[in-house]
Amino acid sequence: MTGPQCVLVVEADILVRQPLAEYLRECGFRVAEAVNAAEARALLEAGKLPIDLVLADAAADADAVFGFAQWMRRAQPGVDVVLAGNPLRAAEQAGEICNDGPALVKPYDHRLVLEHIKRLLARRR
Amino acid sequence: MLPAVRLEQITTAPSVLLVEDEVVVRALLAEELRGAGMQVTEAASADEAWAYLQAGGVADLLFSDVRMPGSMDGLALMRLVRRAFPAVKIVMTSGNIGPFDVGQFDGFLPKPFAFSKAVLIAAHLLGVEPPETP
């Protein structure tokens, strides 16, 4: 038996992270939270949560998040990555390292985030 | 200035504001508390937790580490919460006993602690039926 799919939300601002995480939980996902790329990597390396997809804000610390996404590609190739933030800045880099291009912009539209996550995770089934 | 946001409080489940800078501990403890029927907001620092409360975030119980990065530690946060939100129950945790009076908290857990014990304390303070132990 499989449980709900697990999304890791990486977002520095609690006032953005908490509402999005709660919305995704209400939609049936198991949601883990990290405030930055270092925390996200620590969570993934600990291997205690079966994370299926990472949604990371690339706006606050783009270099760290892109570095994290590149590490993900090498170390956790089975985990989908979605980057969000300023699409103009992120476009070139993110297009190469995330699963579906830099399609999410901030401020988040929760329903668009949900659709995006569902579309990506549906490919895994 | 804080942005205008709608902080999610969708369910009527009792809410825990969990403040812990070790992400693995925070994430796993949050899962345990949610599994026991509580709504959990995760904060990585006392500053983040205070920003959440100042923005209108809801908490019935503050569960906080004492040592914390940022402009204030867990004790400073506890004092702010006691003044501004006196109904909020407070459980503190630390690897060191003191120099503080644990009697000022509603609960204290020395680190390391079993998550099941943390859940039992939170459930007791919030009047939640504790989960059955296997």
Side-chain angles (χ1 to χ4, degrees), chain A residues 28-89:
Chain A
F29 290 97
R30 188 176 179 182
V31 182
E33 301 176 38
V35 299
N36 54 36
E39 276 203 353
R41 182 166 172 166
L43 260 185
L44 284 152
E45 286 182 326
K48 304 279 190 188
L49 295 172
I51 293 165
D52 298 294
L53 182 145
V54 177
L55 169 62
D57 173 26
D61 188 353
D63 290 342
V65 172
F66 287 129
F68 165 71
Q70 283 164 341
W71 170 80
M72 287 283 300
R73 275 284 155 270
R74 290 194 305 274
Q76 308 270 348
V79 179
D80 289 310
V81 181
V82 179
L83 298 183
N86 182 336
L88 295 176
R89 170 142 190 216

